[in-house]
Amino acid sequence: MNVITAFLLFFLVAWAFNPVVQPRVVTVVAGSPAEAAGIQPGDAFTSIDGRSYSLIDLGGDPWSGFMSYLARRPGNR
């Protein structure tokens, strides 16, 4: 029973405190699609196509998850 209780508590804490990743833009290249879209330094990506990503989803690296998602959509950049 102690093992089951510990597992449930761990699961509940991990689920409740799952941090959502919000990478921030550092620079925008002049003439790029990002500049045309109005993205400015300091902006944060909160989601892509309505889906937010967490550190658990991305294995601790926020950019790899975003980049792998964008790589699967080559015509939509």
Side-chain angles (χ1 to χ4, degrees):
M1 196 62 185
N2 287 340
V3 173
I4 293 171
T5 302
F7 178 77
L8 289 175
L9 286 174
F10 179 77
F11 176 77
L12 289 173
V13 168
W15 177 69
F17 297 104
N18 183 12
V20 174
V21 177
Q22 292 184 352
R24 296 210 173 269
V25 176
V26 177
T27 60
V28 177
V29 177
S32 69
E35 182 184 46
I39 296 175
Q40 299 177 352
D43 287 351
F45 293 107
T46 57
S47 66
I48 296 177
D49 289 341
R51 180 173 183 232
S52 61
Y53 293 84
S54 69
L55 287 176
I56 292 172
D57 295 336
L58 305 176
D61 181 12
W63 284 111
S64 68
F66 284 123
M67 297 309 287
S68 66
Y69 177 78
L70 292 175
R72 292 190 302 266
R73 306 179 63 230
N76 298 319
R77 290 189 184 165

